[in-house]
Every structure is written in structure tokens, then in C-alpha cells.
Amino acid sequence: MKRFLLAIALGIACAPLLVCAQSTDEEVFKGEVTRWGDTVQHIAGDERSKQRRGDEADIMGVPADDNHKWFISIVGSKGCAPCARLRADIRADQATQKNLGAFITLMDGDEMHSDPKSSWSHYNYFLAEDKTQAFRFEKLGIKAYPTIIVQPPLNKAFGDPATIVYKREGYDGDPAKLVKEISAAIKLYVQKQQERKDGGATKAAAARHALPAPARSEISGAFGQNDIGVDPPFVPTPRVDPTPVPNVLPPQIPPPDAKPTPAPKPDATPDVPVDAKDLPPEAVIVYDKNAIASEEQARRLDRVVEKLRAAGKILRVRQIDYRDAPELDVPRDQLPAVVVTAEGRVLDRLTDRLLPFVSEEPKEIGLADVPWNVIWTLITGGGIGVGGAVALLLFAVKAFRAFRLSQGKAPLLSDEQLAQLRAQFETWFKPREPAK
Amino acid sequence: MRGLVSPIEICHTMKLSAIFLCVLCLFAGERTARSIECPDARLSFDVPSEIRAFYRNPDGSCVQCSLGMCGVSQNVPNASTLLWDTEYGSRERGGSGPSRVANYSRKRGLRIYNITGRQTYDWLRWAYRNGRPAAIGAAPVHFQTGCGCHPKEGDATWYVCDNNRTGTIAEYSQKGFERLHESSGTWIVILDYPPTPPRPVIVAWWQ
């Protein structure tokens, strides 16, 4: 009986392990994960955008932290004209970086999110119809769209990031006004935060330049002031700026009509020259941003980079439009290409013509690779011609190369040289189209 | 009568079983019995359990289930709809590797960081520090959703949601998490989108 009870206890204890064990095979291709080794790959959208921006490149380290950015969230609804107007205004301000464009830099090709790297704020557009997001706002009782909400950063430099600093329901089509309201709310919030920290000293100072406390009757209904018992700070822009807060760095809020910052004047002192020996080996993928690469070309580029990395020839990979790198000397009709550089010098150029040969998976030389037809012709005393001689020569080169590699010796011809040789032969012996 | 066991013997056996269970828990990834649920300030992930249930692994699609949960947390419908045929693309089911994820991400226009190897821990800490969850290799040939770690540096407690058991978010010690993650081959995927804010709360800060 004792053993029976112990067996039951063991069975109960082991049941979670049985659940943990995966009943399906191949859920994760572990072999491929191992083959990838140490890799960081950044996929930046669709294939065309990849070629256009050239930002699908290997990254060496984690990006900079962005938990200092404020949050701007918009809850919109399908078929809502003010929501569409607001999104259009955000889009329109992108080029000028004024008004809403100063706060929000949209991700390329995506109007729902900001670019995490370049935007002043973290911006998200939520659809009221998206049930997977409804949990976020269910306690707010949103009644009108769009609803704009501003919250402090995640790093808690300005308090609890769940706090609503600004909330507005509805949009009247005036982005400059919206931006002024957001700016004023943030400044006021920061001032209040500082007052709490320094025990009211700042409040006393601010009282000497007191802001007129808005009466309830002054608060416009357009700000959505319908919450009974709640007195949110949806006030018009104050006539007097709040007293500067001591010892606090307010957030760098760009003014609504911010102009692009001019490039700094070049330093009078000459730049310290970079020692060419300090430049790491790298593979530069040169492409035409106006052209769309095929899947096959993209795969070849990946394979070539992998081979170079496996051979220890490169440490870094970057991509560049051919117009921005005339010194690499790659003609437009030979794009995309891989240029291998080290210590500032170009070591090799693998143009589009050569990539198919360099990127192919190496295979062992087998009986099927022997040009039997040429050999048979030779045996039977027939003339093999130049083409046959070249086929025999190429086979001999490949076989000898494979033999040297199997002996652990370096081949006499490198991959690139062999590829060039094959490409040249193909050009010479390419069947010509009959003249029309 | 033979075969009858006294209550004392039953208690003794139950005590032994309880001790055995605790020891088993200690060695089986060091998971704790405490539960944690969204929203929680320790997590960089916010998806209620009733939404996580949509991503219960139906057919060996653990990678897509994990990415789907990350998509909900970061408000990325392109990722949250991976398992179904939608306007964002056709369903992606079954097992995956880094290449497959890269291919369908390109096809759908989904922005991701696709990371393998030794640097996954640095990237995970970066993601959690900056309010982002991650789809992570966890347990042999399995993927789960990395929900956060606390504190963000040093010896931390790690939070993981398994798409085979979406109702709970498990906690792991540092060593337990390392064992869990490395048993899968150290591969993670992070969505390259801004984080979402915590659920907004009205606070009378102006008073």
C-alpha cells in the first residue's frame, strides 16, 4: 500500500514533465540554429524596402536604449473622419518635421508606429475594433475617436509611466493647436513632479507667478471634459509660462515650428587621420537602390557572405548604394556585387556575373562530372574541338582543386579566380542567337 | 487485517512524496509555484490570459505562437496574425528556423531582429529594459515567449510564457533560465517596433 501511494505521488510529480515534452517533431530547426552560429540579422520590411534602404545588414551590437521616450498613443476607429484627418496630418508633417512631425517620426511604410530610433516619442495607433488591444483602454471608457493619450517614459524619470499626462477625445483638424496642448501638459506635469520631489519649494516659487487656475466653466467641451468627478488638466495654453523649474532638465520638447538643425560648422582643427590598418575587414554589398533584387540574387549574396565569414575573411558587413561609393568602382550593370575590403584597400570584387559561381555550394567531384562525351570522342579518334578541350581543362582544374582540398592544402586557384575563369569561358562559348 | 494501512503510515508516505515533489521542482528548471499575471511592472509584456489562449500551440507552430503573442503585446497586427490567413499574409504553421522566419518576415514586411548565438542574453536584456518582449528558444526544440526579467541586470528572475500552457507565466532563476534557453540552441526573435505604454491610468497629478 505504501508503495502504491508512492507510485501515485511519483506519477503526479512526473505529469508536468510529460506535458513539457514536445509531442511534435521539428518545431524548431535546431540544426539550423547551430549552423547560424553567432548571427544578428535585421529584417527591415519587405524585399523592395530592403534593397531601397539597404538596412538588412548584420549588426554588431544592441541598439541604444530608448526607454527615455515619451509615449503618444492614438485610439482610432475605422470609418472615423477625424481619425483619418489626424493620421493624414501626422503623415503630412513628416517631411517638414513641424507640428506633429516634431513629436512623431513614422516608420517607413507604416502609419501605425513610430521609428524607434529616430522618433522623439514612441507612437502607436490602436484600432478600437482590434479586440486584442481592447484590454488596454477598457477602464478609460473612451467615448469618442480619435482619443490621444500621452504618457511618461518607461525609465520612470518622470514618474509612473502608466500616468495619463494628457488625454483628449476628438480632433478639430488643427495640428499646431494639438501640439501646443501636448507641450503645455507635459511641462506642467514635469513641474508638478519636481514640486513633489523638492517638497513644495518650486510650488512656492511658481505661486509668485501664479497661473490663472481655470474655472470649470472655462474648460472647453471639445477637450472631452465629460468625466464626472475628474478634473484633468485639459486647459488652454497658459498666458504665462510656468516658472522655470530649478535643477530639473525638462524634456527636450521640439517647438511646433522647429526648423531642421543646421549641420555644425566644421572644426578649425584638422581631423586626426584614421590609420588604414585600423579599418576592419568587411564585405560591402553594393546595390542599386532603384532596382529590385530577385530572391535568387538575395540568396546568393547571403551565401557569399556566409562563405567569407566562415573563411574568417570578414568581420563586418554593410550595404551601400553604388552612387555613394564611386571608389569601389562597381559598374551599374554588374550590381548587386560584394566588394571585400581590408585596411582600407579593395581586395576583391564579386560582381553579379561571378556570384552564381562563387555562391554555389561546393560539391564533391563525382563520376557524373567527368565529360564522358569528350573522352569517348577522343578514344574513337574524333576531333573534340576547342569546346571539348576547354571542358576537359575545366574538369581537370576542378578535380585537381578538389584533390588538394582533400589533402588539406590550399588550392592553386582561389574561389574568385576559378569563378572568373568559368565566367570568361562561358562568355566566349555562349551560344550566339542566329542573326535575324 | 492485512492490506490496511494505518493513517500514520499514509501521512509518512505523503510527507515523503511532498519532499520528493519539492526536490523535483528544484531540479526541473527551478520553477516556482508563485504566479505572475499581466499587467505587472516586472514584465515587459502585457497580454491578458484570455488573449494568450488564442496562441495556444495547436500543431507544432511554437515559433509563430510566440511571435504572435509578442505582436499583441507590441500592437503589431502583422505579427499577431501569423497563425491565420489575413490581409497581412497567409498563415504560417509548423516548425521554423531562423531562415524561415526571415523569409516570411520579408514577405509580410515584418521588421524583426533575428538573433542566434552567444549574444542572445544581451539582446534579451536590451529588449526587456526597453519594454519589449521576445520570442525565445526555450526547452528542447521549442519556442516560448520571453516576458521579462527583474531586475534587469545581474542575477535576475526571468519570466516566460509557454504556448503549451498559456494560462501561466512561469518564473525561472538565472541558472534555470540559462538551462531552459540553451537547451533549444539559443535563438531569439525581437520585433523591431516601438514598445507599447503600460495600461493608462487617470491620476490627479495636477492637484
Side-chain angles (χ1 to χ4, degrees):
Chain A
M1 184 62 179
K2 227 192 295 191
R3 283 182 204 160
F4 176 68
L5 286 173
L6 199 55
I8 290 177
L10 269 171
I12 293 167
C14 291
L17 294 175
L18 288 172
V19 173
C20 284
Q22 296 310 302
S23 57
T24 53
D25 293 331
E26 297 284 310
E27 282 201 56
V28 173
F29 302 155
K30 191 173 174 182
E32 188 187 336
V33 174
T34 309
R35 278 197 302 278
W36 271 43
D38 291 338
T39 300
V40 177
Q41 182 185 47
H42 182 220
I43 309 288
D46 61 24
E47 295 172 50
R48 273 183 287 184
S49 65
K50 173 190 83 175
Q51 289 299 322
R52 190 166 58 240
R53 291 195 304 275
D55 51 0
E56 186 178 325
D58 282 358
I59 309 215
M60 301 308 287
V62 298
D65 281 357
D66 56 12
N67 54 15
H68 59 280
K69 297 189 177 186
W70 289 69
F71 288 100
I72 297 178
S73 308
I74 296 178
V75 186
S77 178
K78 286 185 180 172
C80 154
C83 305
R85 177 69 191 270
L86 178 55
R87 288 174 65 174
D89 287 343
I90 293 173
R91 206 166 46 239
D93 287 343
Q94 293 303 294
T96 57
Q97 299 239 302
K98 290 183 181 181
N99 295 328
L100 292 164
F103 286 80
I104 300 168
T105 303
L106 291 175
M107 196 175 273
D108 195 10
D110 184 337
E111 287 192 5
M112 286 182 66
H113 304 96
S114 55
D115 187 321
K117 290 191 179 65
S118 56
S119 182
W120 180 86
S121 68
H122 286 314
Y123 164 73
N124 280 279
Y125 187 90
F126 298 92
L127 267 178
E129 290 81 7
D130 187 348
K131 298 297 178 213
T132 64
Q133 303 297 319
F135 67 92
R136 295 183 194 278
F137 310 107
E138 57 194 2
K139 289 189 180 162
L140 294 186
I142 290 176
K143 296 180 186 65
Y145 301 105
T147 294
I148 303 130
I149 299 170
V150 177
Q151 290 169 251
L154 271 177
N155 63 0
K156 299 186 181 169
F158 297 101
D160 184 356
T163 307
I164 295 178
V165 171
Y166 174 84
K167 174 174 167 278
R168 178 193 175 130
E169 290 184 355
Y171 178 60
D172 58 5
D174 188 346
K177 184 173 144 196
L178 175 61
V179 156
K180 276 188 184 149
E181 287 171 12
I182 292 174
S183 298
I186 291 176
K187 283 178 184 166
L188 189 59
Y189 173 79
V190 169
Q191 181 187 347
K192 291 289 181 185
Q193 285 286 302
Q194 185 58 26
E195 280 171 15
R196 285 195 180 94
K197 276 185 190 162
D198 64 18
T202 307
K203 190 174 179 180
R208 289 195 285 276
H209 306 273
L211 286 167
R216 266 200 178 270
S217 59
E218 288 183 355
I219 299 171
S220 164
F223 291 94
Q225 309 291 309
N226 297 326
D227 295 328
I228 310 287
V230 177
D231 185 7
F234 304 138
V235 296
T237 309
R239 282 189 289 274
V240 175
D241 276 344
T243 304
V245 178
N247 300 326
V248 163
L249 278 176
Q252 296 299 312
I253 305 168
D257 56 351
K259 293 189 177 61
T261 310
K265 262 194 215 169
D267 219 334
T269 55
D271 288 334
V272 175
V274 173
D275 193 347
K277 281 194 280 246
D278 294 335
L279 294 171
E282 62 176 9
V284 185
I285 299 175
V286 187
Y287 67 99
D288 180 358
K289 66 183 176 189
N290 294 325
I292 300 169
S294 66
E295 281 249 4
E296 183 52 36
Q297 280 176 321
R299 271 198 290 272
R300 275 187 218 135
L301 288 169
D302 287 344
R303 281 202 292 269
V304 166
V305 168
E306 265 179 47
K307 283 178 88 169
L308 288 168
R309 190 175 278 119
K313 287 188 181 176
I314 58 164
L315 289 182
R316 198 171 72 172
V317 179
R318 66 184 172 99
Q319 299 195 12
I320 194 165
D321 181 69
Y322 79 101
R323 294 172 193 84
D324 298 329
E327 69 280 5
L328 296 179
D329 192 26
V330 182
R332 185 167 173 269
D333 61 347
Q334 292 181 27
L335 295 175
V338 177
V339 178
V340 182
T341 68
E343 296 179 355
R345 295 180 295 114
V346 172
L347 296 181
D348 216 335
R349 279 185 202 84
L350 300 168
T351 61
D352 186 52
R353 203 164 61 96
L354 298 177
L355 282 174
F357 306 106
V358 178
S359 64
E360 67 186 13
E361 294 293 328
K363 55 181 181 131
E364 290 181 3
I365 304 292
L367 288 176
D369 297 299
V370 180
W372 292 111
N373 54 340
V374 175
I375 292 173
W376 176 252
T377 307
L378 268 177
I379 290 170
T380 55
I384 59 172
V386 176
V390 165
L392 267 181
L393 177 66
L394 277 176
F395 170 72
V397 165
K398 278 200 289 191
F400 184 60
R401 200 160 180 275
F403 172 72
R404 281 185 69 88
L405 285 170
S406 68
Q407 300 293 309
K409 297 177 189 167
L412 296 176
L413 285 178
S414 68
D415 285 346
E416 296 78 4
Q417 287 167 330
L418 182 63
Q420 279 177 338
L421 191 65
R422 284 180 63 186
Q424 197 55 55
F425 280 138
E426 281 219 349
T427 309
W428 285 340
F429 295 105
K430 182 177 169 184
R432 288 188 177 78
E433 285 180 9
K436 288 185 185 164
Chain B
M1 284 169 62
R2 288 184 69 181
L4 276 182
V5 183
S6 74
I8 293 171
E9 281 185 341
I10 291 173
C11 282
H12 183 63
T13 307
M14 296 305 283
K15 204 163 46 173
L16 279 175
S17 308
I19 292 169
F20 175 78
L21 272 171
C22 288
V23 170
L24 200 64
C25 281
L26 271 176
F27 285 106
E30 299 182 49
R31 291 169 65 153
T32 68
R34 291 192 300 275
S35 64
I36 181 169
E37 189 46 69
C38 303
D40 192 298
R42 290 168 289 176
L43 300 178
S44 304
F45 171 81
D46 187 7
V47 180
S49 58
E50 59 270 21
I51 307 286
R52 296 200 303 266
F54 293 153
Y55 297 91
R56 192 172 181 83
N57 190 356
D59 53 6
S61 307
C62 59
V63 178
Q64 286 76 250
C65 290
S66 308
L67 277 170
M69 281 199 221
C70 293
V72 175
S73 185
Q74 283 185 257
N75 184 39
V76 181
N78 198 346
S80 61
T81 55
L82 271 169
L83 292 168
W84 303 280
D85 290 322
T86 64
E87 59 187 313
Y88 294 98
S90 51
R91 61 187 1 206
E92 299 290 344
R93 294 294 182 106
S96 287
S99 294
R100 184 182 178 210
V101 170
N103 288 339
Y104 65 57
S105 296
R106 281 191 205 103
K107 206 164 56 170
R108 295 168 76 98
L110 187 61
R111 297 169 60 106
I112 62 166
Y113 292 108
N114 199 5
I115 303 144
T116 59
R118 289 166 293 183
Q119 56 245 317
T120 53
Y121 292 99
D122 289 339
W123 277 86
L124 280 175
R125 289 190 192 277
W126 171 82
Y128 298 156
R129 214 164 46 232
N130 292 283
R132 295 165 171 89
I136 64 173
V141 289
H142 189 43
F143 239 56
Q144 301 181 35
T145 307
C147 303
C149 72
H150 183 78
K152 306 290 188 246
E153 300 297 336
D155 197 16
T157 299
W158 297 74
Y159 304 97
V160 180
C161 180
D162 187 353
N163 43 75
N164 286 330
R165 275 191 312 285
T166 57
T168 48
I169 296 175
E171 300 180 15
Y172 291 86
S173 65
Q174 180 70 33
K175 282 200 170 52
F177 179 76
E178 284 171 9
R179 267 201 295 277
L180 183 78
H181 181 45
E182 286 162 23
S183 64
S184 74
T186 59
W187 168 35
I188 66 173
V189 183
I190 301 170
L191 296 178
D192 179 24
Y193 290 85
T196 45
R199 299 185 205 186
V201 170
I202 296 178
V203 173
W205 56 263
W206 51 89
Q207 291 171 356

